Amino acid sequence: AYIGFDIVATTAEETRNPQRDMPIGIIGSLAICTVLYFLVAGVVTGMRPYDQLGGAAPLADAFSAADRPWAASIVYAGALVALTNTVLILMLGQSRVAFAMARDRLFPPAVAKTHPRFGTPYRITMIIMVLVSILAGFTSIDTLADLVNIGTLFAFILVSIGVLLLRRTDPDRPRPFRTPLMPALPIVSVLLSIWLMVTLSGATWLRFIGWMVIGFFVYAFYSRHRSRLG
């Protein structure tokens, strides 16, 4: 769910007024989901002791233990819809990030073409669809979840550091939305993200480092010499 809030930021170019709409979309959805999470957690822990809700599907387990299998079936169906939606949202965000990189020629510019009718980056979307299908078919869900978590946390660290650096190196840049509580908030964000990354397994760190090495090779031998920004 928290990755979904991050994905909202990748659609800034597709909003009418990003300076206004982005903070409303991110903070508003975060607030709504947090309230709903607390309400659901309060109800479920009223149905079952919290130490008996450690399974893979605690919400459905709580209804099953309360002899309400029909309710558990509804929860399972809702979880399937929610997970499918999460995957689609993640692919949407990744396609927009890759589109921006291809537009800067960090990736081959041919993949940055938009659909003549829908105006969406359809080529990069189809490439990501194939890659995601291959990963899903040959990698366990636990491994994928850990990789997504460590990658997202690392991205949060880079963004937080970027905010700090831009405030110092480019203080006069127009900022319709300014990060509050500077510099404490970005620093806390970096520290909390590092702490969460440390809790992940050593195997996840090895896969993350391997993926980063591949990325550095692509950048060094292809992207660096072709980047428009560079």
Side-chain angles (χ1 to χ4, degrees), residues 21-221:
D21 298 341
M22 287 293 101
I24 292 175
I26 295 175
I27 298 174
S29 58
L30 178 61
I32 292 171
C33 289
T34 300
V35 171
L36 290 175
Y37 184 90
F38 272 93
L39 292 175
V40 171
V43 171
V44 175
T45 51
M47 297 170 60
R48 296 280 290 174
Y50 76 92
D51 57 354
Q52 299 179 18
L53 295 171
L59 192 59
D61 292 343
F63 282 105
S64 296
D67 197 23
R68 297 291 188 275
W70 59 270
S73 299
I74 294 176
V75 171
Y76 281 124
L80 179 61
V81 173
L83 287 172
T84 303
N85 178 68
T86 300
V87 173
L88 292 175
I89 290 296
L90 291 174
M91 292 174 65
L92 168 69
Q94 185 60 61
S95 66
R96 270 48 179 183
V97 172
F99 173 73
M101 294 175 68
R103 190 172 53 191
D104 185 43
R105 300 186 184 277
L106 294 172
F107 289 152
V111 302
K113 299 294 183 181
T114 56
H115 195 278
R117 178 182 176 186
F118 302 110
T120 55
Y122 68 105
R123 290 184 179 179
I124 195 67
T125 299
M126 289 189 290
I127 292 173
I128 290 174
M129 176 189 68
V130 173
L131 292 176
V132 168
S133 300
I134 293 173
L135 286 173
F138 294 96
T139 311
S140 69
I141 189 170
D142 292 335
T143 300
L144 287 175
D146 287 342
L147 284 174
V148 170
N149 287 334
I150 196 170
T152 303
L153 291 168
F154 186 69
F156 288 168
I157 291 173
L158 293 181
V159 170
S160 299
I161 294 175
V163 170
L164 291 170
L165 292 178
L166 279 176
R167 284 290 182 92
R168 180 176 293 274
T169 60
D170 194 1
D172 299 325
R173 177 188 291 267
R175 290 178 169 85
F177 176 79
R178 297 177 66 88
T179 302
L181 303 177
M182 285 286 293
L185 188 60
I187 293 175
V188 171
S189 175
V190 170
L191 294 177
L192 289 177
S193 296
I194 292 175
W195 176 65
L196 289 172
M197 290 176 70
V198 170
T199 64
L200 295 172
S201 66
T204 300
W205 274 93
L206 290 176
R207 297 185 188 99
F208 172 69
I209 293 172
W211 193 252
M212 290 291 295
V213 169
I214 294 174
F216 278 122
F217 269 103
V218 172
Y219 178 77
F221 293 103

